[in-house]
Amino acid sequence: SNRFWFQLHGWFSLPIWIIFCFVCLTGTVSVISHELTWLTNSASRATNPDNLPEKSMPEIIAIVEKAHPSAKVSTAMSFEPYLVNAVLFTDSDKPFAIAYVNQYTGEIQEINQGMTFINFMRSLHGWLLFPWQNNYSVGYYLVCAMAIVMLGALITGLFVYKNFWRAFTQPKLRLNQGKKTLLSDLHRLSGVWSLWFLLLMSVTGIWYLVQAVLWQNHIDIDPHPPLVEASQLPNKFSQKPVSLSDALTLSENRFSDFKPTYIMPPEHNRDTYKLYGEGDFVFFDQYSYGVIVNPWTGEILDERTPDNMNTLQTLSHIANPLHYGTIGGIWTKIIWFLFGIVLTGMSITGFLMWGSRTIKAARSKSLSFASNEDANLVLTQQEVK
C-alpha cells in the first residue's frame, strides 16, 4: 500500500515536472510583480515628499487629456498607494499607450507603449503566452491542470508521510547524513509546513479551470453592462450632462465604502460610465464593487456588491486575492512569495530525489546484469571443459 501511494505521488508530479516548476516559479514572481516594478522603474513610483492629497480619477484623466488633446481615454486604474495611477489611451501616433500619472503631484512620469512587466508575468504564469481563440487558450488549460496535479501530490504525500503532523512539533532536518537524506527531509518539511498553501493554490487553480470551461461555453459570470436606451438619447448630441465626477459622486453616495480602482468612460453615445472598485470586504478583489451610470440622466442602471453576488460571482472575485495573496497588502504578498519559493523548491527536491533513485536503480540493474553474464560465462567454460 505504501509503495502504491509512493509511486502515485511521483506520477502526479514527475511526468510534467518542468511545466509544474515553471508555473510555480512564474506565479511566485507574479505575486510581487508590482513591487519589482517599483524597484526597477522609478517612473512607476508615486512619490509624495510634500504630503499632497491624492487626486481623484477624473482629475488624473483630465491631466492626460490636457497633455494629449486628441487622445481617447479608455481606462483609468489605481493600484497600491506607492504605485502611480495608469491611464490607458489611444492617439493618432499611439495605437495603445499607458500614461503613468503620479496621483499626488499630477505629473505624467512615463508614457509606456509596450507590454508592462506586470502584464507579461501574469500572462506568462496564467497561460504561458499561448494565443487565445474562441474564448479559450490551450496554455490556460495547461496551467489550470497543474492544480489537479498539485492536489493529487498533496493527498498522496500525506499517505506516504506517516504521522506527518509530528513535523510541526518535532521538525527533522539531518544535515550530516548525506545528500539523499537531506533532500528527503527538506521535501517532507516543506510539504508539511506548506499544506495550507498547497491546498489554497489547488482549490483556486481548480476554480480557474471551471472558469475556463464557462468562458469557452460563453457562460457569463458577470453580466455585460447594459446600454442606454435609444429613447433616452437627446436629439442633438453635445457634451454629456453627467460628468465622470458626477458619476463617481453617485457611486460614493450609493456605497459609503466605495473606492474606485478601475474606471471606463463611455466609448459611444449609448455607452455608460463603468465604475469598479473595492470596499471593506477583505477577501474580495479590487473590482468587487461595480456601478453602471447613465451619462445622460445620471441613473444607476446596474450595480454589484459582494452582498448581492451569486455563487459564481463570489468565487470569481475572491479567487485572485487568495491566489496572489493581496488580501492583506504587502505583508501577505511577502508571505505568499516565500511559500511560492518553498513550493518551487519542493518540485526541484522531488525531482532530484526521483533522479537519484532512478540512477541508483539503473546502476543496480546494470551490475546485476553483469553478474549474471559473468556467472553464465563461468558455467559455459565449465561445460566446455
Side-chain angles (χ1 to χ4, degrees):
S1 177
N2 192 62
R3 180 177 176 81
F4 166 76
W5 289 113
F6 183 80
Q7 290 178 337
L8 189 59
H9 180 72
W11 276 106
F12 263 114
S13 303
L14 294 174
I16 47 176
W17 171 80
I18 294 179
I19 299 176
F20 182 78
C21 183
F22 185 77
V23 169
C24 292
L25 180 61
T26 53
T28 302
V29 177
S30 296
V31 167
I32 58 167
S33 56
H34 285 94
E35 286 66 33
L36 290 175
T37 300
W38 184 91
L39 284 172
T40 57
N41 185 2
S42 59
S44 68
R45 302 170 191 167
T47 55
N48 187 17
D50 299 326
N51 293 322
L52 299 172
E54 183 177 353
K55 297 183 183 298
S56 66
M57 284 265 193
E59 290 178 289
I60 298 294
I61 293 175
I63 290 170
V64 175
E65 289 176 336
K66 183 177 180 180
H68 301 271
S70 59
K72 176 65 176 177
V73 173
S74 61
T75 309
M77 296 181 289
S78 66
F79 307 98
E80 288 82 355
Y82 47 84
L83 287 174
V84 294
N85 285 7
V87 178
L88 282 62
F89 69 96
T90 59
D91 208 342
S92 56
D93 59 339
K94 297 178 181 63
F96 175 79
I98 306 174
Y100 291 0
V101 185
N102 188 318
Q103 62 269 32
Y104 306 109
T105 64
E107 178 188 359
I108 299 177
Q109 298 182 172
E110 182 178 292
I111 300 294
N112 189 323
Q113 297 189 62
M115 178 176 279
T116 65
F117 175 74
I118 297 168
N119 288 337
F120 173 76
M121 288 308 307
R122 294 293 175 97
S123 302
L124 186 62
H125 173 66
W127 52 89
L128 304 176
L129 299 181
F130 276 70
W132 284 80
Q133 53 185 356
N134 299 324
N135 278 6
Y136 83 96
S137 167
V138 173
Y140 193 89
Y141 277 110
L142 192 59
V143 171
C144 292
M146 296 301 104
I148 300 174
V149 170
M150 191 182 301
L151 185 60
L154 169 62
I155 294 172
T156 55
L158 294 180
F159 278 99
V160 171
Y161 191 9
K162 305 298 182 183
N163 302 323
F164 66 89
W165 53 86
R166 292 179 180 174
F168 292 114
T169 57
Q170 302 172 11
K172 183 169 58 176
L173 187 61
R174 293 164 288 184
L175 303 175
N176 55 355
Q177 295 188 24
K179 174 183 174 182
K180 179 182 176 181
T181 302
L182 177 60
L183 288 176
S184 178
D185 288 348
L186 279 173
H187 190 77
R188 292 181 177 186
L189 275 178
S190 299
V192 171
W193 283 88
S194 303
L195 280 176
W196 68 274
F197 189 73
L198 286 163
L199 185 61
L200 187 60
M201 294 301 106
S202 300
V203 171
T204 52
I206 290 173
W207 161 249
Y208 291 141
L209 183 59
V210 173
Q211 188 173 248
V213 174
L214 295 175
W215 286 343
Q216 187 175 354
N217 289 277
H218 304 282
I219 299 174
D220 294 325
I221 297 175
D222 285 316
H224 291 286
L227 296 174
V228 176
E229 295 290 340
S231 58
Q232 295 180 330
L233 297 177
N235 294 327
K236 292 183 179 181
F237 296 112
S238 59
Q239 185 177 1
K240 295 177 176 60
V242 180
S243 66
L244 178 56
S245 296
D246 296 333
L248 276 174
T249 301
L250 287 170
S251 302
E252 290 164 356
N253 290 339
R254 181 71 183 85
F255 304 109
S256 58
D257 58 340
F258 177 82
K259 180 184 177 182
T261 58
Y262 192 94
I263 288 178
M264 299 178 68
E267 295 183 358
H268 49 80
N269 288 325
R270 291 192 60 189
D271 202 3
T272 55
Y273 290 114
K274 293 174 280 293
L275 315 174
Y276 301 101
E278 58 188 2
D280 292 336
F281 292 83
V282 176
F283 291 101
F284 286 80
D285 63 17
Q286 66 269 38
Y287 315 117
S288 55
Y289 280 81
V291 181
I292 311 301
V293 179
N294 186 328
W296 301 103
T297 64
E299 177 188 1
I300 295 178
L301 301 180
D302 193 20
E303 63 183 48
R304 180 188 69 216
T305 69
D307 288 328
N308 63 17
M309 288 182 183
N310 58 37
T311 302
L312 290 180
Q313 290 172 336
T314 300
L315 291 173
S316 177
H317 287 280
I318 67 174
N320 273 1
L322 293 175
H323 194 77
Y324 290 102
T326 58
I327 53 177
I330 184 65
W331 297 111
T332 50
K333 284 185 180 183
I334 292 173
I335 294 172
W336 262 242
F337 173 74
L338 293 175
F339 276 92
I341 293 175
V342 170
L343 185 55
T344 306
M346 281 177 60
S347 67
I348 296 173
T349 55
F351 180 78
L352 292 175
M353 290 162 58
W354 172 83
S356 176
R357 291 190 185 96
T358 303
I359 293 171
K360 184 178 179 180
R363 285 176 178 173
S364 299
K365 187 176 180 180
S366 177
L367 289 173
S368 176
F369 178 77
S371 299
N372 290 335
E373 286 294 312
D374 291 341
N376 290 335
L377 181 59
V378 170
L379 289 174
T380 303
Q381 289 174 348
Q382 289 176 352
E383 289 174 359
V384 170
K385 290 180 180 180

